[in-house]
Structures are given as structure tokens and as C-alpha cells.
Amino acid sequence: MSLPNYLSKKGYKKKKLTLTKTSHFKTSAKINGIKGSFIVDTGASNTCIDMSLIEMFNLIPEKSDTKAAGAGATDMETQISKKNTIKIGKWKSKKTNLVIFDLSHVNKALTDHGSKPVHGIIGADILQKGDAVIDYKSTLLFLK
């Protein structure tokens, strides 16, 4: 039995992933009902949205003392938005906290390598919540 068939029988929902030119997996997701493009990053502790998209995704930002780091940038100011809904394919989570910060350095790295920019990052918080399995062979993300 293939991994996709096994996970489907165990109640997992599957979502197709696309491999970018930078070898990152990318997928679409809906934040508060608004569709966006996201990198799936197992090394990112939190799911993040670019600060320029607060209004687009209907986020309510609150002050955060947490500093963000990643993709060569460090000590970046963040905000948090609580009680958001995220939907990845047929999998859905309510009351999700999202970190808001400047993702321009991430998008610059993507566009410098010929990939399209993203709205945010699906991080380990959501992957853990959904008991995620990534099938690299079939480029599928499974969430339960």
C-alpha cells in the first residue's frame, strides 16, 4: 500500500505541494477565508504572514515582544494576530495565532532565484497541530 493511500485511510487530508526553484515546498492556504501562497517550512517555529498583508487577511495585530530571525535576517520586530482560521486543502484549524513580520528578505531570496513571492510561511506550529506528514516522492502534504 502506498503512503498516500495509507494516510488517507487513517483520516489524513492531502494537499499538493509545489517545489520552487529554491527547493522549498510551496502551497496555497486560506487565512480567514482569503487565499494566499505559502512556503511550508518545517524549520520555522511559527506560521507567519507578511506585515504588508494585515488588511488583506483581516488580521488584528497585537504587540509582541518576540523577535524573529530567518533567511539571514535577525532581531526583526513582530506582531501577533490571535484567533485566526487557517485552511489548507480540506484541513482546517480555528483560533490559530499567526506571527506578523516583514518577509521582504524571504521574498527577495525567492525572486532572486526566479521563484514567485509568497504571502507567508506555514510553520511547525501548524504542522504539529495537523500531525503533518510530508511525502517527498509524491509532493503531498498530509494533515489530520
Side-chain angles (χ1 to χ4, degrees), residues 46-104:
N46 295 293
T47 296
C48 309
I49 303 288
D50 186 75
M51 67 181 356
S52 68
L53 304 172
I54 289 171
E55 288 181 20
M56 175 180 162
F57 288 110
N58 300 314
L59 304 177
I60 300 170
E62 298 178 19
K63 187 177 185 231
S64 172
D65 293 329
T66 303
K67 300 285 185 188
T74 59
D75 214 29
M76 295 178 288
E77 297 290 327
T78 67
Q79 293 177 301
I80 191 162
S81 179
K82 299 178 180 176
K83 298 181 181 176
N84 297 282
T85 300
I86 183 167
K87 188 173 183 196
I88 303 170
K90 294 181 179 176
W91 182 87
K92 187 175 185 177
S93 176
K94 297 179 180 178
K95 297 183 181 175
T96 302
N97 293 344
L98 301 169
V99 174
I100 304 166
F101 74 106
D102 183 3
L103 290 175
S104 59

Side-chain angles (χ1 to χ4, degrees):
M1 179 182 293
S2 71
L3 181 61
N5 287 341
Y6 174 79
L7 292 172
S8 291
K9 287 184 185 215
K10 293 291 182 184
Y12 281 80
K13 311 278 191 243
K14 69 181 175 182
K15 181 70 170 87
K16 186 71 176 159
L17 299 172
T18 304
L19 195 61
T20 69
K21 292 178 182 176
T22 56
S23 296
H24 291 95
F25 276 131
K26 189 163 85 169
T27 195
S28 62
K30 287 186 177 181
I31 305 293
N32 301 324
I34 311 298
K35 188 175 181 179
S37 177
F38 298 84
I39 284 179
V40 177
D41 188 348
T42 60
S45 51
N46 295 293
T47 296
C48 309
I49 303 288
D50 186 75
M51 67 181 356
S52 68
L53 304 172
I54 289 171
E55 288 181 20
M56 175 180 162
F57 288 110
N58 300 314
L59 304 177
I60 300 170
E62 298 178 19
K63 187 177 185 231
S64 172
D65 293 329
T66 303
K67 300 285 185 188
T74 59
D75 214 29
M76 295 178 288
E77 297 290 327
T78 67
Q79 293 177 301
I80 191 162
S81 179
K82 299 178 180 176
K83 298 181 181 176
N84 297 282
T85 300
I86 183 167
K87 188 173 183 196
I88 303 170
K90 294 181 179 176
W91 182 87
K92 187 175 185 177
S93 176
K94 297 179 180 178
K95 297 183 181 175
T96 302
N97 293 344
L98 301 169
V99 174
I100 304 166
F101 74 106
D102 183 3
L103 290 175
S104 59
H105 64 289
V106 171
N107 282 321
K108 182 172 181 352
L110 288 169
T111 56
D112 283 353
H113 289 90
S115 293
K116 292 183 180 178
V118 294
H119 297 102
I121 297 167
I122 304 294
D125 57 342
I126 291 298
L127 299 173
Q128 288 174 333
K129 194 174 196 178
D131 200 16
V133 175
I134 297 173
D135 182 355
Y136 286 82
K137 184 176 181 181
S138 63
T139 61
L140 291 170
L141 170 66
F142 292 88
L143 297 164
K144 190 171 183 177

